[in-house]
Amino acid sequence: MSIKNHKLQHLESDILDCLNHTIKFDVYDETLKHCSLTAVKLAPDFSLLTVYVDTFDRSKINDMVDKLMIAKGFFKNGIAKGLNLRKVPDIKFVSDTTIDNSLKIDKILDNINQSKK
């Protein structure tokens, strides 16, 4: 792993911690308190930060992503206060589909196993 890659991964980890801290301690919207920020992906030029959002109630995920997008300035401010960055990247919140994809794969595998019996 190159040093540049290691620094990028370390910065992504720090940003994720900072965002989760902001949700836990600074956000007063109870709906947003139930979301989980699962991962972040920082563009190589540090201009865009993609934040992956998940929640137990999958029916509310789009509402949460919309609310987070409205409050992205608040989260940029949290990153600016929590980390020493020259420039805070623009934030884009997206739904984390990892669990949905794994459930689809499980269903496909179950169907294959059922057809073999």
Side-chain angles (χ1 to χ4, degrees):
M1 178 185 310
S2 70
I3 292 175
K4 187 174 183 179
N5 232 1
H6 179 70
K7 285 183 178 181
L8 183 67
Q9 288 179 345
H10 191 278
L11 181 58
E12 288 174 342
S13 175
D14 288 346
I15 290 172
L16 182 60
D17 290 343
C18 184
L19 289 172
N20 279 318
H21 182 271
T22 302
I23 284 183
K24 186 174 181 179
F25 295 107
D26 299 333
V27 171
Y28 297 110
D29 187 343
E30 286 302 317
T31 307
L32 296 181
K33 292 267 187 191
H34 296 290
C35 75
S36 175
L37 305 180
T38 56
V40 296
K41 181 70 177 158
L42 190 58
D45 63 353
F46 302 106
S47 64
L48 180 65
L49 178 71
T50 305
V51 181
Y52 295 91
V53 181
D54 202 1
T55 184
F56 288 117
D57 188 358
R58 299 298 295 164
S59 65
K60 294 183 181 180
I61 190 72
N62 291 329
D63 182 42
M64 284 187 184
V65 169
D66 292 341
K67 284 185 177 184
L68 288 167
M69 284 300 292
I70 290 169
K72 73 179 180 177
F74 179 76
F75 290 100
K76 284 181 75 168
N77 190 31
I79 292 171
K81 287 181 181 177
L83 301 173
N84 186 17
L85 298 178
R86 189 177 66 172
K87 181 184 173 201
V88 177
D90 191 30
I91 301 175
K92 177 177 142 184
F93 292 96
V94 295
S95 174
D96 188 353
T97 59
T98 305
I99 293 175
D100 294 336
N101 293 339
S102 65
L103 290 174
K104 287 178 187 177
I105 291 170
D106 283 344
K107 187 175 181 179
I108 291 169
L109 292 174
D110 285 343
N111 288 338
I112 291 171
N113 287 335
Q114 292 296 330
S115 67
K116 287 185 178 181
K117 290 181 180 180

